[in-house]
Amino acid sequence: LLYFQGRKPLGFVVWDQVNNTQANSFINLADISVSGLSDFQTVTTCKTLKDQNVQYLNVGGSETENLDKFKSKFMPVTSLPLLSIDVTYKGFNTSDITMKKFI
């Protein structure tokens, strides 16, 4: 879905429909100067998918606290804990390896 104000592009959403009931969201990019646009894009994406009888939209991980708050307000059916890790390859300084747990 592409979002415009007149001829000015404001944002877009990209997803992949996995099967008859499920889709994976890949990108939800919005102009942050337009208040509420990202919410609007998420809601219209869900409505569009519902019109196609798709029941679930996977929106990916919450890499930051603010991203988790944004996604949580849509009341997900389920939420899975994720673990992210930064890796330094063999031969590099191992003190560079950090592990971060996200909600």
Side-chain angles (χ1 to χ4, degrees):
L1 296 176
L2 302 172
Y3 296 84
F4 292 86
Q5 185 175 42
R7 293 179 52 98
K8 178 185 175 187
L10 296 178
F12 66 98
V13 179
V14 177
W15 69 82
D16 175 42
Q17 189 169 334
V18 178
N19 53 43
N20 292 337
T21 62
Q22 189 174 5
N24 292 327
S25 176
F26 290 135
I27 301 170
N28 182 356
L29 186 66
D31 183 336
I32 60 171
S33 71
V34 180
S35 180
L37 179 59
S38 189
D39 293 55
F40 178 74
Q41 289 180 184
T42 300
V43 170
T44 56
T45 297
C46 290
K47 286 181 178 180
T48 300
L49 290 169
K50 182 181 178 190
D51 290 346
Q52 299 171 11
N53 296 316
V54 175
Q55 298 172 342
Y56 303 101
L57 176 63
N58 299 321
V59 293
S62 296
E63 290 79 12
T64 67
E65 185 178 342
N66 285 339
L67 185 55
D68 187 57
K69 285 179 185 177
F70 173 79
K71 292 178 180 182
S72 293
K73 71 181 168 185
F74 296 103
M75 300 173 56
V77 173
T78 187
S79 184
L80 305 173
L82 298 177
L83 186 65
S84 295
I85 188 165
D86 294 328
V87 177
T88 301
Y89 293 97
K90 190 175 182 178
F92 288 78
N93 184 351
T94 56
S95 65
D96 292 341
I97 297 174
T98 59
M99 188 161 74
K100 302 171 189 167
K101 186 171 182 176
F102 297 106
I103 298 171

